[in-house]
Amino acid sequence: MNDLELLNEQQKDAVLHTEGPLLILAGAGSGKTRVLTYRIAHLIETCGVNPWNILAITFTNKAAGEMRERVDRLVGFGSESIWVSTFHSACVRILHRYIDRIGYDNRFTIYDTEDQKTVMKNVCGRLQTDTKLFKEQKLLNIISHAKNEYKPPEEFKLDAKGDFWMEKAAEAYVEYQKELEKNNALDFDDLLMKTVELFQSCPDVLEYYQDRFRYVLVDEYQDTNTVQFKFLSLLAEKYKNLCVVGDDDQSIYKFRGANIENILNFEKVFPNARTVKLEQNYRSTQNILDAANSVISHNKGRKEKVLWTDNGPGKPIVCRQFQTGYEEAEYIAGDIRKKMEEKAEHYKDFAVLYRTNAQSRLFEEKFLMANIPYKIVGGVNFYSRKEIKDVLAYLKTIDNGKDDLAVRRIINVPRRGIGSVTLNKVQSYADAQGMSFFEALEDMDTVPGLGKAALKIQPFVHLIHACRLKLSDISVKGLIEEILDQTGYVRDLKAEETEEAEARLGNIDELLNKAAAYEEQAAEPDLRGFLEEVALVADIDSLEDGDNRVLLMTLHSAKGLEFPYVYMAGMEDGIFPSYMSIAAENAVQEIEEERRLCYVGITRAMKELTMTAARARKVRGENQYNNISRFILEVPSDLVGRGTPCNAPAVRPSQKDMAHARAKEAFKAKTFDPQQFKVVKADSLEYKVGDRVSHVKFGKGTVLEIADGGRDYEVKVDFEKVGVKRMFASFARLKKVESL
């Protein structure tokens, strides 16, 4: 039941104002998700709005899932008709129904980052672009920015005239888009671009969705870009019932295309808009909030708000400055260990936040030495690993044979002896006939010059056809298992008998887990839905609630999270804010963005906040001396507890201090001496195939194979106790023993 008495006055005001544009300025920890869900419930229960007339949008799958759960609990029957999704998921649903109106097939593929790079590499090859001057990733970034600003290739080309570099990028943009269209594929940015294009070119489709979604609610509005704003403004144009929730002080994604002007100028775009401020914080102590209020008040481009709480003042802010980054990491590891011993806290209650991923190394080393379990958020994406992309390429080919990238990726995985000459002949035939690569494979008997190579292609085509026939009778998990079995993919990995192969097998097992979980959770699970969910997943969505480890992450990754104990490390000018921001032409705007990032970091803390800095930090192997961050100096001194002064400028230490610090670091670094792991290939081995050898761990065995791998010899040994092992000779240090 929707009990408004559980809301404070400002929250209640935001819930009850149902008609017309509404801007809810929600400070950190002010209960914005509660307001959104109660507003939805109020619209249905009190105002009589049909559930299917409501669209609620947020940015990540995790946030959408949480909102969906809360809406279901509050609304109950009929809540399944409410669209609660990310921008991209909503656009996918719309495009799958109507994209044929703008020239695409409804069964399109969504390309991920690796797919985009492959397309751009092909485009650069065709255009004979010098990729030393025009990097593929740079071109993709320019195109992504253009799409975020809703600039189609033709418009971008006109704007680029007179600028040599932009003209080259415009050429690549035009060809890149042609390649996507030929493959019946969209990249992430296209999902919104094409939806807006659909709305603008098909007024009847737009009116259908305007009538369908009479009430539009948007979370994290400060993170929207131009094309997202166009999408929302078109949807809300007819009824004006657009409710946006956000915090301009937490706008930290400019590098992804976020436009802070969308929230700052909301009242100008919608002159009759009502504004409600949520300033009561339910997360942090007042000392933490006062620190955040003080820091963010130095920004000029913001809407005034002051966070407050009933949680009490809490502990003072801890601020520590150390001689080196190593000592900083050592202190944080020790403090976590101390709190764990004294307060019996959980490791997952602690988070270490830093500006860049590169800062994690020292914390990883110290946590390993201190036996503190940790997890890095935002590491290598699971779905970017080779074996996962291979399996997904099979699934994409089965679902959408027009995806040339997917087909070409796995036509020789595992190896089928199909060479590049054969593939080029098939591609030339496909281009000449205006068909997809897979359609050309199906037509292999008429491809000129294939000869016996057609016999190698045939089993691959038959496999795809056989899997398609089974789609209606097999689960996604079952389909993956069928692919792995028929191709021998797992069998080949097991035959390698290496740690790398074992890791890949573990990743494949995890993909099967993902497929099983998808089938349990989806209302109508199918292959296309699985591929869409995989394509739309965000890094932070992989964070498991039950994982009891200290979290290491960048400040950007911490957005939307909260922890009882937060450590903000590397708080030095040059690190945070970065030198790039300080030295930028628009330094004022760049530093304000960095200050918003600092505000986000501070407001992640619930009970205790620790801010640390180092006088000297290694950068490219050299000591760099930095002043303490201006953001720390913006925290009032009466909020900071006793300890090492944190307002002292960086000064070069004395020769004695430097010698002591170097000796201390050298002593502690011996455990990690990289020289002890350096591969030194022997001129020859004292043993040969058939000889008996001894290993310090595995015992005695017989040499089965010796292969010269270039950098080292790879030796295969059948050990009496542990069976067959493959190893490098320089690491194994096998000793020849006399045969019995």
Side-chain angles (χ1 to χ4, degrees), residues 192-224:
L192 277 140
M193 275 276 290
K194 293 302 176 184
T195 305
V196 172
E197 181 185 328
L198 172 67
F199 284 170
Q200 292 182 329
S201 58
C202 303
D204 59 320
V205 175
L206 173 59
E207 187 168 17
Y208 168 79
Y209 282 106
Q210 286 175 336
D211 288 333
R212 170 70 191 270
F213 301 125
R214 299 188 179 211
Y215 293 86
V216 180
L217 300 88
V218 187
D219 195 9
E220 304 288 3
Y221 187 68
Q222 76 280 349
D223 295 334
T224 55

Side-chain angles (χ1 to χ4, degrees), residues 300-363:
K300 305 300 181 189
R302 65 183 293 262
K303 292 180 177 291
E304 184 67 30
K305 75 182 78 68
V306 178
L307 297 180
W308 61 276
T309 185
D310 284 332
N311 292 340
K315 291 193 174 183
I317 311 300
V318 176
C319 180
R320 299 293 299 265
Q321 187 177 27
F322 301 92
Q323 191 62 46
T324 65
Y326 189 94
E327 291 179 4
E328 175 189 50
E330 191 172 47
Y331 167 79
I332 291 176
D335 199 52
I336 292 173
R337 172 63 65 202
K338 180 181 176 184
K339 284 184 169 66
M340 285 294 296
E341 292 171 353
E342 292 179 353
K343 302 182 180 182
E345 304 287 355
H346 300 287
Y347 284 114
K348 64 182 180 181
D349 292 337
F350 299 85
V352 181
L353 312 182
Y354 36 75
R355 182 63 182 84
T356 64
N357 276 310
Q359 291 171 255
S360 72
R361 184 182 65 86
L362 286 176
F363 296 106

